[in-house]
Amino acid sequence: MNLDGIGVTSRRTRERLVDKLKDKGIRNANVLDVMRATPRHIFIDEAFSHLSYDDIPVNIGYKQTISQPYVVARMTEAVLDAAPLMRVLEIGTGCGYQTAIIAQLAEEVYSIERIKPLHDKAVANLETLGIENVHLIHGDGSLGYPDKSPYDAIIVTAAPMGIPNELLAQLAQNGRLVIPVGGTAGQELRLITRKKDQFISRLLDHVRFVPLLKGQVKN
Ligand code: SAH
């Protein structure tokens, strides 16, 4: 990550956010380090920039939000295994915050977004941070991105009503899928781990994401 020329908000503001993440149960030191180092304000429009280091989701336009830092940290922690993550897929790039976090902990990241202006924003944001191991795709990721599968981890940041089999099929051996499942009233955040052709599912948390929708939006 390259922070030259980025007015990075004071270390103390970001340290306070990291303290909050620790209070809420985030333990992985690598995740905490990356959350501490990554400026969130560059992902947020100026009108809302005062909320950048609060532990809440923030509007990014197009009826979408940048995820709550705790949820980003929780999902990231859940997919980090003892083994290094070589290839990761994210579904729902939004403005690219979760993408930037996981990119610092994985070899190569693919991330797909259906709304073109958000995809474009994410391209610009990751360029600003000098993050180069990410491939951003504009398209419908509701059935994953089989072209580059299998993945060591799949992070889904919009909620389907059920877990698509297509996503399970794109997991590598011991691969992990983290996904919110359910309607707009609230969802279960689930971690699925692949062991040969067995899929072990664990409930991580209760969350609220925007719905995973079909098709793509050009402008
Ligand atoms: N990962 C983002 C969260 C963005 S909100 C972050 O770190 O803040 C979820 C995003 O998923 C929205 O931008 C929405 O447009 C996108 N999305 C919803 N359905 C999708 C689909 N089928 N394919 C790709 N992106 C989708």
Side-chain angles (χ1 to χ4, degrees):
M1 199 169 50
N2 174 13
L3 299 178
D4 294 351
I6 297 170
V8 181
T9 307
S10 86
R11 205 185 145 73
R12 274 179 58 193
T13 311
R14 283 175 293 134
E15 201 59 57
R16 256 199 309 274
L17 174 61
V18 167
D19 284 344
K20 213 167 285 173
L21 299 178
K22 286 185 195 159
D23 286 349
K24 291 183 176 179
I26 304 300
R27 289 283 167 267
N28 187 301
N30 293 333
V31 173
L32 292 168
D33 284 347
V34 168
M35 297 294 296
R36 185 185 289 112
T38 307
R40 187 165 181 253
H41 65 275
I42 69 139
F43 295 90
I44 293 180
D45 290 347
E46 223 167 298
F48 298 117
S49 64
H50 57 289
L51 303 173
S52 299
Y53 296 95
D54 288 352
D55 190 25
I56 52 172
V58 178
N59 196 323
I60 54 170
Y62 311 93
K63 298 190 181 150
Q64 307 303 325
T65 53
I66 177 173
S67 295
Q68 178 188 353
Y70 166 73
V71 174
V72 171
R74 185 87 170 98
M75 292 173 87
T76 305
E77 193 172 61
V79 296
L80 280 184
D81 207 10
L85 294 177
M86 298 310 288
R87 189 176 294 194
V88 176
L89 172 66
E90 179 192 24
I91 301 171
T93 319
C95 60
Y97 180 57
Q98 167 79 75
T99 327
I101 298 292
I102 194 68
Q104 295 170 73
L105 297 163
E107 202 51 40
E108 196 174 18
V109 177
Y110 291 82
S111 182
I112 183 161
E113 169 57 53
R114 67 188 282 274
I115 300 177
K116 181 70 162 59
L118 287 178
H119 161 83
D120 292 343
K121 246 188 210 190
V123 169
N125 289 339
L126 293 177
E127 198 177 324
T128 300
L129 292 180
I131 291 177
E132 291 175 346
N133 58 333
V134 170
H135 309 266
L136 295 176
I137 303 127
H138 171 230
D140 177 358
S142 55
L143 300 179
Y145 189 61
D147 298 25
K148 299 292 174 182
S149 69
Y151 302 99
D152 301 308
I154 302 178
I155 299 177
V156 186
T157 69
M161 291 305 294
I163 299 176
N165 284 331
E166 288 82 351
L167 295 188
L168 299 176
Q170 289 166 43
L171 279 180
Q173 278 313 329
N174 302 313
R176 293 173 163 217
L177 164 68
V178 65
I179 183 166
V181 185
T184 46
Q187 302 117 17
E188 290 188 342
L189 185 64
R190 294 215 151 256
L191 174 66
I192 318 290
T193 306
R194 178 174 200 160
K195 297 276 177 210
K196 300 233 166 74
D197 281 324
Q198 296 265 77
F199 295 92
I200 300 151
S201 174
R202 189 154 76 81
L203 174 64
L204 291 184
D205 232 315
H206 293 275
V207 290
R208 191 173 296 186
F209 277 87
V210 297
L212 186 74
L213 300 172
K214 300 254 177 201
Q216 50 178 285
V217 180
K218 292 225 165 62
N219 44 42

